[in-house]
Amino acid sequence: MHPSHPSVRYAGVALAAAGALTIVVNAIVTPTLPRGVPFADVAASTPFLIRQSLAALAAILLMFGCVGLHLRQMDSVGRFGAIAFVLAFSGTALLLGVEWTQIFEVRDMALREPEALNRLDAGGLSRADIGAMIALAALVVGWLVFAISMLKARVLPRRAVWLVVAGLFATPFLSAVMPPLVAAALGNAILGSGWIWLGFDLMTAQPG
């Protein structure tokens, strides 16, 4: 698709916004969540509502941005690029489902039946936990394959793509040497910066 097509540019705005929200959610909002209290108290709090709402918005914007990236390079990647796009889009959609559930089901349960939610949280690995892990794994695998397709296509800035790849793995690696909150903030700052860079490239790309 023509690089300056409005659809591509609007997708770039969405992708850059998703990257910025990813940084804000993990570096600014997450540290305000209540600490040392039962999970129901956390889920019923205003910071939890703000965090999950912004995270859901970031996932929606990321889905639009994902489409823009595919449109930008689709003439250069062939079938592999199409498969990579589907994987990344699907993983992002699953993440949106998790965030949506946290907002409208988990928080509602925390407000109505906090003791039941605390018992569920204390009962070990639940089906909801498994579903969230599947969604996260699908997101990481999908965007990793999508990043490989972008590197192969050589249409988008390679350094931005490598930032995304680094961001996908940064949080678990950094968690081994620093507090989880700091690791999540730094890891997602790397990931969000990659998306912002790619978004600006979509917004400003010229023909040729």
Side-chain angles (χ1 to χ4, degrees), residues 22-116:
T22 298
I23 297 173
V24 169
V25 164
N26 290 279
I28 298 176
V29 182
T30 298
T32 67
L33 292 173
R35 305 290 168 188
V37 299
F39 177 64
D41 292 345
V42 177
S45 68
T46 299
F48 181 86
L49 176 61
I50 295 173
R51 186 201 184 282
Q52 300 310 123
S53 299
L54 292 178
L57 177 58
I60 294 171
L61 293 170
L62 189 58
M63 291 170 67
F64 282 105
C66 187
V67 172
L69 292 172
H70 179 59
L71 292 177
R72 178 72 173 86
Q73 66 170 13
M74 63 185 299
D75 294 334
S76 304
V77 291
R79 182 176 299 178
F80 175 72
I83 294 173
F85 160 70
V86 170
L87 290 175
F89 188 88
S90 300
T92 308
L94 287 174
L95 179 66
L96 173 60
V98 171
E99 307 294 1
W100 199 263
T101 300
Q102 293 280 327
I103 297 170
F104 291 102
E105 293 188 18
V106 173
R107 189 167 192 274
D108 186 58
M109 189 174 181
L111 294 171
R112 295 172 181 264
E113 297 289 343
E115 293 183 1

Side-chain angles (χ1 to χ4, degrees), residues 74-180:
M74 63 185 299
D75 294 334
S76 304
V77 291
R79 182 176 299 178
F80 175 72
I83 294 173
F85 160 70
V86 170
L87 290 175
F89 188 88
S90 300
T92 308
L94 287 174
L95 179 66
L96 173 60
V98 171
E99 307 294 1
W100 199 263
T101 300
Q102 293 280 327
I103 297 170
F104 291 102
E105 293 188 18
V106 173
R107 189 167 192 274
D108 186 58
M109 189 174 181
L111 294 171
R112 295 172 181 264
E113 297 289 343
E115 293 183 1
L117 182 59
N118 285 331
R119 286 196 302 270
L120 180 64
D121 182 59
L125 194 65
S126 67
R127 292 182 180 179
D129 295 329
I130 295 173
M133 288 189 295
I134 291 173
L136 180 60
L139 176 78
V140 172
V141 172
W143 273 92
L144 181 59
V145 176
F146 199 28
I148 293 172
S149 76
M150 287 186 272
L151 292 172
K152 288 172 63 69
R154 296 180 177 273
V155 173
L156 294 152
R158 295 173 65 84
R159 291 182 181 178
V161 178
W162 279 115
L163 268 181
V164 171
V165 173
L168 292 172
F169 296 101
T171 298
F173 280 106
L174 292 174
S175 296
V177 296
M178 58 182 61

